[in-house]
Amino acid sequence: MAAADWIPGLKAVSTYQPAWLPRDVLAGIVLTTLLVPQGMAYAELAGLPAITGLYTSILCLLAYAVFGPSRVLVLGPDSSLGPMIAAVILPIAASDGDPARAVALASMLGLLVGLFMTVAGAAKLGFIADLLSHPTQLGYVNGLALTIFIGQLPKLFGFSVDGEGLIAETRGFVEGVAAGDTVPAALAIGAGGLLVILLLQRFLPKVPGILIAVLGGIAAVVFLGVGDVDVVGPLPQGFPPFDIPSVSWSDLGLLAAGALGITLVSVTDTISTASAFAERSGQEVRGNQEMIGIGAANIASGFFQGFPVSTSGSRTAVAFTAGARSQLTGVVGAGAITLMLVLAPGLLKDLPQPMLAAVVIAASLSLADPAGLRRLWRQRRIEFALAVAAFLGVALLGVLPGILVAVVLSVLNVFRRLWWPYRAVLGRADGVDGYHDLREYPDAAQIPGLTMFRFDAPLIFANARTFREEIRHLARQDPAPRWILVAAEPITDVDTTAADMLEDLDEELNSAGISMIFAEMKSPVREKIDRYGLTRTIDPEHFYPTVEDAVAAYRMISSLPGEPTG
């Protein structure tokens, strides 16, 4: 593989068009207005100092510009990863409450996520994104949105709570408000900022609502002198320092487990976001290279006091709308943040903490998708139930257990469809070509002595018993059929367990004077049937290329008149 395939940034430089430069620079400046407040807010959401969010933003943008394949995707601290990071590092770091240790743990977590992501991308394991089905992902993000929203309310009101988990945090917030812990100035700034962000996003989406809200919050602190409102304070000056995070071996196992969950969410988010914007930019999605690009971004962040990152749909949309044509937009954004830290680190020292809470709450509201849940309720109740179960897993058990619940539910849903696939008895309906499900066409005619059966799944160990019991049920009809014709087109595989079942079932039916017939079986499946030696018991002449051919053969041996055509 050519170097440009592994390092897309090389190709980007060689094919860059000078006409893109003004748009990329402008888009990078616009993007910076979003990167700074969100980076700081999501760092605190992860339980880390605000400055780490800026360090993370700089390094992940630079690394992805080199190793990422997309021209327009924007990476950075993410609202959906913040609670996951906190869930991993805070229980470990809480024993001594040392912020430096929390940063080291988060950086090591970023390195592990980057390692897992890079290895998975190199091994072409992009399919792991499919472990979260859409219904369970929908339930997960709605549960995450509620968890983030509730967790940020005390900060918006100017106080803090000690509870962990949705129920404890809700109780703590209600008790705090009832006890009069609310700081009116903090609530006014935070709620006012949230209102500005939401109104501008709704009615003037091209106006940088977050920037306006942040500037308004800083102005309120500076000019109104609200000293009882917590602020960010001075930021360290200079470029992010290189640091190899040091953690104990006992902590590494917990970090690795958390990194796997974060990797799964990040991969899923990346593939879906990349697919959406690839259509707009005319690019093809290179899922495995995307994983390598995100992995490199996480590794770079981890070595510079950063934490795990993912793609951001909202920031990518801002950059794309502002005219971004290449990853130079992200490089400009990283450069602008660096200049701020080097030349004006005190620029945001008066940024009120309730305003950061407003930024996070706005992000949580954008994550929530109640309309998607309502749509599932109308379309398919079983998948709605899966979404609700994933929602409750996050809301009641926590973010990381919620991920596990979502993955398990997704996998079980796949097995449910294999264990109990759709089955149908077929008949000929008036005015419709072919043979169709009697449940949809209850008046469809059946041929005396011939039962047609369709099994809509691969025939494997998990559903072999179901298939056998269905065939036995059909064989017990009164009068018993002479032929049971299996419309085998949906059967895409037959494993050895199912083959043994078919052999025993065919002998059982033959002893009762019933023949089991197959039609429209795919060639690869038929080859397996031959390889398993099933044609020793199942007559090779009992395989027909089409259902119509099988019906015609049955009519011939039964001396029945042919069916009218058309």
Side-chain angles (χ1 to χ4, degrees):
M1 182 178 289
D5 293 326
W6 286 102
I7 310 176
L10 296 176
K11 183 178 180 181
V13 171
S14 63
T15 60
Y16 190 81
Q17 300 180 26
W20 295 349
L21 183 60
R23 293 185 177 184
D24 280 338
V25 172
L26 178 60
I29 294 172
V30 172
L31 181 62
T32 304
T33 65
L34 196 61
L35 291 171
V36 172
Q38 283 192 340
M40 298 173 71
Y42 297 162
E44 296 201 345
L45 177 63
L48 298 165
I51 185 63
T52 60
L54 302 184
Y55 290 166
T56 301
S57 298
I58 294 171
L59 271 302
C60 73
L61 289 170
L62 295 176
Y64 187 82
V66 177
F67 293 98
S70 172
R71 291 200 304 262
V72 297
L73 282 189
V74 176
L75 273 64
D78 187 69
S79 58
S80 62
L81 297 189
M84 299 181 68
I85 298 169
V88 176
I89 67 171
L90 292 186
I92 302 175
S95 58
D96 54 18
D98 182 7
R101 183 164 187 241
V103 171
L105 292 169
S107 297
M108 180 58 74
L109 189 63
L111 291 177
L112 291 172
V113 170
L115 177 62
F116 293 159
M117 193 85 74
T118 303
V119 170
K124 303 186 184 303
L125 301 180
F127 64 86
I128 64 174
D130 299 331
L131 288 177
L132 281 177
S133 67
H134 177 68
T136 51
Q137 188 177 359
L138 188 62
Y140 169 77
V141 297
N142 276 285
L144 188 62
L146 179 62
T147 300
I148 294 172
F149 179 82
I150 295 298
Q152 292 297 304
L153 281 179
K155 190 174 177 180
L156 189 76
F157 279 64
F159 64 92
S160 61
V161 298
D162 294 329
E164 293 184 7
L166 182 65
I167 295 176
E169 289 181 344
T170 302
R171 183 187 301 115
F173 170 70
V174 172
E175 291 174 350
V177 171
D181 294 338
T182 301
V183 178
L187 179 58
I189 291 174
L194 179 60
L195 186 62
V196 167
I197 294 171
L198 295 179
L199 288 177
L200 290 178
Q201 284 179 346
R202 176 67 177 84
F203 297 106
L204 297 170
K206 293 187 177 181
V207 176
I210 292 179
L211 177 63
I212 291 174
V214 165
L215 293 177
I218 294 174
V221 170
V222 173
F223 296 110
L224 299 181
V226 282
D228 53 349
V229 177
D230 291 336
V231 296
V232 170
L235 299 176
Q237 185 175 21
F239 189 79
F242 176 81
D243 184 47
I244 299 177
S246 176
V247 300
S248 66
W249 284 104
S250 60
D251 295 335
L252 206 54
L254 296 173
L255 292 173
L260 287 174
I262 292 173
T263 299
L264 176 59
V265 171
S266 184
V267 169
T268 304
D269 187 40
T270 295
I271 298 301
S272 60
T273 304
S275 300
F277 283 93
E279 295 179 2
R280 302 188 197 181
S281 61
Q283 284 189 280
E284 293 183 0
V285 177
R286 296 172 55 192
N288 293 310
Q289 185 61 42
E290 286 290 358
M291 296 172 69
I292 293 174
I294 305 293
N298 277 282
I299 291 172
S301 300
F303 280 126
F304 288 86
Q305 298 188 11
F307 51 86
V309 298
S310 183
T311 53
S312 169
S314 62
R315 278 165 286 190
T316 301
V318 166
F320 188 81
T321 303
R325 292 294 180 268
S326 75
Q327 283 299 325
L328 182 61
T329 295
V331 174
V332 170
I337 298 173
T338 302
L339 287 176
M340 185 194 74
L341 291 178
V342 172
L343 303 179
L347 189 64
L348 300 175
K349 65 182 178 64
D350 293 316
L351 175 58
Q353 292 284 358
M355 188 58 69
L356 293 181
V359 172
V360 174
I361 289 175
S364 74
L365 295 177
S366 68
L367 275 178
D369 187 8
L373 291 175
R374 290 194 298 269
R375 186 171 61 254
L376 278 182
W377 171 260
R378 293 192 304 268
Q379 294 175 343
R380 192 166 186 177
R381 299 291 171 84
I382 184 65
E383 295 199 346
F384 173 80
L386 290 172
V388 170
F391 171 86
L392 294 176
V394 176
L396 301 180
L397 301 179
V399 177
L400 289 176
I403 281 287
L404 180 61
V405 168
V407 171
V408 170
L409 288 175
S410 295
V411 174
L412 287 179
N413 190 35
V414 173
F415 277 104
R416 177 188 66 82
R417 295 176 182 179
L418 288 175
W419 281 327
W420 302 291
Y422 190 80
R423 289 93 70 192
V425 176
L426 308 179
R428 170 78 80 177
D430 290 338
V432 183
D433 290 337
Y435 299 89
H436 301 276
D437 188 350
L438 292 183
R439 276 171 284 198
E440 295 183 13
Y441 297 91
D443 296 328
Q446 293 183 273
I447 301 171
L450 173 63
T451 297
M452 285 179 277
F453 173 68
R454 193 182 72 220
F455 190 79
D456 293 352
L459 194 52
I460 60 173
F461 70 95
N463 57 33
R465 184 179 61 83
T466 300
F467 181 91
R468 181 185 62 205
E469 294 308 314
E470 287 285 343
I471 296 295
R472 283 176 172 173
H473 172 74
L474 296 174
R476 289 194 294 266
Q477 295 177 106
D478 187 18
R482 292 181 62 190
W483 275 20
I484 295 179
L485 171 58
V486 180
E489 194 273 337
I491 300 177
T492 56
D493 191 18
V494 175
D495 71 4
T496 55
T497 301
D500 291 341
M501 176 275 297
L502 288 175
E503 184 174 9
D504 294 339
L505 181 62
D506 185 62
E507 292 178 347
E508 178 182 322
L509 293 174
N510 289 340
S511 65
I514 301 172
S515 297
M516 184 165 57
I517 311 297
F518 296 90
E520 300 182 354
M521 179 173 283
K522 298 179 185 299
S523 297
V525 181
R526 175 62 195 276
E527 290 171 3
K528 290 182 180 180
I529 293 290
D530 293 337
R531 189 163 63 249
Y532 296 153
L534 286 183
T535 48
R536 293 194 311 271
T537 56
I538 302 177
D539 191 337
E541 295 185 358
H542 286 177
F543 292 87
Y544 291 87
T546 68
V547 171
E548 287 76 11
D549 288 337
V551 171
Y554 176 77
R555 287 182 174 278
M556 182 178 296
I557 65 170
S558 302
S559 301
L560 295 175
E563 291 184 281
T565 59

